Coordinates of all heavy atoms in Angstrom, one line a residue:
R28 N 119.1 168.7 119.6 CA 119.3 169.4 118.4 C 120.6 170.0 118.3 O 121.2 170.3 119.2 CB 118.3 170.7 118.5 CG 116.9 170.3 118.5 CD 116.0 171.5 118.6 NE 116.2 172.2 119.9 CZ 115.4 173.0 120.5 NH1 114.2 173.3 119.8 NH2 115.6 173.5 121.6
S29 N 121.1 170.1 117.0 CA 122.4 170.5 116.7 C 122.3 171.7 115.9 O 121.7 171.5 114.7 CB 123.3 169.4 116.2 OG 124.6 169.9 116.0
A30 N 122.9 172.8 116.1 CA 122.7 174.0 115.3 C 123.9 174.0 114.2 O 124.6 173.2 114.2 CB 122.9 175.2 116.1
P31 N 123.6 174.9 113.2 CA 124.6 174.9 112.1 C 126.1 174.8 112.4 O 126.5 175.5 113.4 CB 124.2 176.2 111.3 CG 122.7 176.5 111.8 CD 122.7 176.0 113.2
S32 N 126.8 174.2 111.6 CA 128.2 174.1 111.6 C 128.9 173.6 112.9 O 130.0 173.8 113.1 CB 128.8 175.5 111.3 OG 128.5 175.9 110.1
A33 N 128.2 172.6 113.5 CA 128.7 172.0 114.7 C 129.6 170.9 114.2 O 129.3 170.3 113.2 CB 127.6 171.5 115.6
T34 N 130.5 170.5 115.0 CA 131.4 169.4 114.8 C 131.2 168.4 116.0 O 131.6 169.0 117.2 CB 132.7 169.7 114.5 OG1 132.9 170.6 113.3 CG2 133.7 168.5 114.4
I35 N 130.9 167.2 115.9 CA 130.7 166.2 116.9 C 131.9 165.3 116.8 O 131.8 164.4 115.8 CB 129.4 165.5 116.8 CG1 128.2 166.5 116.6 CG2 129.1 164.7 118.1 CD1 128.0 167.5 117.5
L36 N 132.8 165.2 117.7 CA 133.9 164.3 117.7 C 133.6 163.0 118.1 O 132.5 162.6 118.7 CB 135.0 164.9 118.6 CG 135.7 166.1 118.1 CD1 136.8 166.6 119.0 CD2 136.0 166.1 116.7
A37 N 134.5 162.0 117.7 CA 134.3 160.6 118.1 C 134.1 160.2 119.5 O 134.6 160.9 120.4 CB 135.4 159.8 117.6
G38 N 133.2 159.3 119.8 CA 132.8 158.8 121.2 C 131.9 159.7 121.9 O 131.7 159.4 123.2
V39 N 131.4 160.8 121.4 CA 130.6 161.6 122.1 C 129.1 161.3 122.0 O 128.5 160.8 120.9 CB 130.7 163.1 121.5 CG1 129.7 164.0 122.1 CG2 132.1 163.6 121.8
T40 N 128.4 161.5 123.1 CA 126.9 161.2 123.2 C 126.3 162.5 123.5 O 126.7 163.1 124.5 CB 126.6 160.2 124.2 OG1 127.1 158.9 124.0 CG2 125.1 159.9 124.4
V41 N 125.2 162.9 122.7 CA 124.5 164.1 123.0 C 123.4 163.7 123.7 O 122.4 162.8 123.0 CB 124.2 164.9 121.6 CG1 123.3 166.1 122.1 CG2 125.5 165.4 121.0
G42 N 123.0 164.1 124.9 CA 121.9 163.6 125.7 C 120.5 164.1 125.3 O 120.4 165.1 124.5
E43 N 119.4 163.5 125.9 CA 118.1 163.8 125.5 C 117.8 165.3 125.8 O 118.2 165.9 126.8 CB 117.2 162.9 126.5 CG 115.8 163.1 126.2 CD 115.0 162.1 127.2 OE1 115.5 161.1 127.8 OE2 113.6 162.3 127.2
K44 N 117.1 165.8 124.8 CA 116.7 167.2 124.9 C 117.9 168.3 125.0 O 117.6 169.4 125.4 CB 115.6 167.5 126.0 CG 114.5 166.6 125.8 CD 113.4 166.9 126.9 CE 112.2 166.0 126.7 NZ 111.2 166.2 127.8
A45 N 119.1 167.8 124.6 CA 120.2 168.8 124.7 C 120.2 169.6 123.4 O 119.7 169.2 122.3 CB 121.5 168.0 124.8
I46 N 120.9 170.7 123.5 CA 121.1 171.6 122.3 C 122.5 172.0 122.1 O 123.2 172.3 123.1 CB 120.2 172.9 122.4 CG1 118.8 172.6 122.6 CG2 120.4 173.8 121.3 CD1 117.8 173.8 122.9
V47 N 123.0 171.7 121.0 CA 124.4 172.1 120.6 C 124.4 173.5 119.9 O 123.7 173.4 118.7 CB 125.1 171.0 119.8 CG1 126.6 171.5 119.3 CG2 125.2 169.6 120.6
G48 N 125.1 174.3 120.2 CA 125.0 175.7 119.7 C 125.9 175.8 118.3 O 126.7 174.8 118.1
A49 N 125.5 176.8 117.5 CA 126.1 177.0 116.1 C 127.7 177.1 116.3 O 128.2 177.8 117.2 CB 125.6 178.2 115.6
G50 N 128.3 176.4 115.5 CA 129.9 176.4 115.4 C 130.6 175.7 116.5 O 131.8 175.8 116.6
S51 N 129.9 175.0 117.4 CA 130.5 174.3 118.5 C 131.4 173.1 118.0 O 130.9 172.5 117.0 CB 129.4 173.8 119.5 OG 128.7 174.9 120.0
V52 N 132.3 172.8 118.8 CA 133.2 171.6 118.6 C 132.9 170.7 119.8 O 133.4 171.1 121.0 CB 134.6 172.0 118.4 CG1 135.4 170.7 118.3 CG2 134.8 172.8 117.2
V53 N 132.2 169.6 119.7 CA 131.8 168.9 120.9 C 132.8 167.7 121.1 O 132.9 166.9 120.2 CB 130.3 168.3 120.7 CG1 129.9 167.5 121.9 CG2 129.4 169.5 120.4
T54 N 133.5 168.0 122.2 CA 134.6 167.0 122.5 C 134.4 166.0 123.6 O 135.0 165.2 123.9 CB 135.9 167.7 122.8 OG1 135.7 168.5 124.0 CG2 136.3 168.6 121.7
K55 N 133.2 166.3 124.5 CA 132.8 165.5 125.5 C 131.3 165.3 125.4 O 130.6 166.0 124.8 CB 133.1 166.2 126.8 CG 134.6 166.4 127.0 CD 134.8 167.2 128.3 CE 136.3 167.5 128.6 NZ 136.6 168.2 129.7
D56 N 130.8 164.3 126.2 CA 129.5 164.0 126.1 C 128.7 165.2 126.7 O 129.2 166.1 127.4 CB 129.1 162.9 127.3 CG 129.5 161.6 126.7 OD1 130.0 161.5 125.5 OD2 129.5 160.5 127.5
V57 N 127.5 165.4 126.1 CA 126.6 166.6 126.5 C 125.5 166.0 127.4 O 124.7 165.1 126.9 CB 125.9 167.1 125.2 CG1 125.0 168.3 125.5 CG2 127.1 167.7 124.3
P58 N 125.3 166.6 128.6 CA 124.3 166.0 129.5 C 122.9 166.3 129.0 O 122.7 167.2 128.3 CB 124.6 166.8 130.8 CG 125.9 167.3 130.8 CD 126.2 167.6 129.2
P59 N 122.1 165.4 129.4 CA 120.6 165.7 129.0 C 120.2 167.0 129.4 O 120.6 167.4 130.5 CB 119.9 164.4 129.7 CG 120.9 163.5 129.8 CD 122.2 164.1 130.1
G60 N 119.3 167.6 128.5 CA 118.7 168.8 129.0 C 119.6 170.0 129.2 O 119.3 170.9 130.1
T61 N 120.7 170.1 128.5 CA 121.6 171.3 128.6 C 121.9 171.8 127.2 O 121.6 171.3 126.2 CB 123.0 170.8 129.1 OG1 123.6 169.9 128.3 CG2 122.8 170.3 130.6
I62 N 122.3 173.1 127.3 CA 122.7 173.8 126.1 C 124.2 173.9 126.1 O 124.7 174.4 127.2 CB 122.1 175.2 126.0 CG1 120.6 175.1 125.9 CG2 122.7 176.0 124.8 CD1 119.9 176.4 126.0
V63 N 124.9 173.5 125.0 CA 126.3 173.6 125.1 C 126.8 174.5 123.9 O 126.0 174.5 122.8 CB 127.1 172.3 125.1 CG1 126.8 171.5 126.2 CG2 126.8 171.5 123.7

């Protein structure tokens, strides 16, 4: 899941059951089952 206003940069993989917090800028892979 990705919360509102997140930005996911090129080359990034968001893992299984991960959650991206509101307003986040995702610059690296998100491990499965984590909240970033």
